[in-house]
Amino acid sequence: MSVQNLNTFDPFAEEGDPLAGAQDVGSQADYIHIRIQQRNGRKTLTTLQGLPKQYDPKKLLKAFKKEFACNGTLVDDEKMGQVIQLQGDQRSKISAFLTENGIEKSTIKVHGF
């Protein structure tokens, strides 16, 4: 009875790496992410990140605050860039606002609950 040494033979060697050509597999850079965070008690915080460079975050924040009647702020994150934070659960309102103003629905990812 012979015992085969599997370390000397790799059955998948001729296949190569299937992900070798794909640079941005699983990349989140081309999506706009709308998330909700729980604060304390019933209070929640809605965050918007990944906004394209052609949109001014300050003007967008001002429009959100006026349209949704909530407070908000602009936070600089070292990894995600500028993040818009709004008080309350504004996920569906933000998504509808962005699609009405020319951003495709397929580029918006809504996260949470």
Side-chain angles (χ1 to χ4, degrees):
M1 185 160 116
S2 85
V3 178
Q4 191 179 29
N5 188 0
L6 295 177
N7 291 332
T8 59
F9 176 70
D10 186 9
F12 301 107
E14 67 274 358
E15 292 295 323
D17 187 13
L19 299 178
Q23 301 291 349
D24 296 329
V25 172
S27 175
Q28 303 292 317
D30 53 348
Y31 288 112
I32 298 171
H33 295 279
I34 303 171
R35 293 186 171 91
I36 189 167
Q37 295 176 347
Q38 190 72 32
R39 281 184 29 203
N40 46 2
R42 293 175 49 196
K43 307 290 183 183
T44 58
L45 190 69
T46 305
T47 60
L48 172 75
Q49 60 193 29
L51 204 61
K53 298 292 182 198
Q54 69 256 26
Y55 295 100
D56 185 20
K58 288 185 180 182
K59 288 184 179 179
L60 205 55
L61 176 62
K62 189 171 183 178
F64 285 156
K65 288 166 64 173
K66 191 171 188 120
E67 182 78 21
F68 308 148
C70 67
N71 199 10
T73 186
L74 197 60
V75 177
D76 287 323
D77 187 51
E78 61 273 355
K79 191 170 30 170
M80 294 307 284
Q82 288 189 322
V83 177
I84 296 176
Q85 290 183 343
L86 296 172
Q87 288 182 348
D89 186 5
Q90 312 292 341
R91 291 174 296 172
S92 59
K93 293 178 184 176
I94 291 174
S95 178
F97 184 89
L98 292 176
T99 53
E100 288 172 5
N101 290 309
I103 296 178
E104 291 183 31
K105 181 87 170 154
S106 62
T107 62
I108 300 173
K109 296 275 185 181
V110 180
H111 304 277
F113 304 141

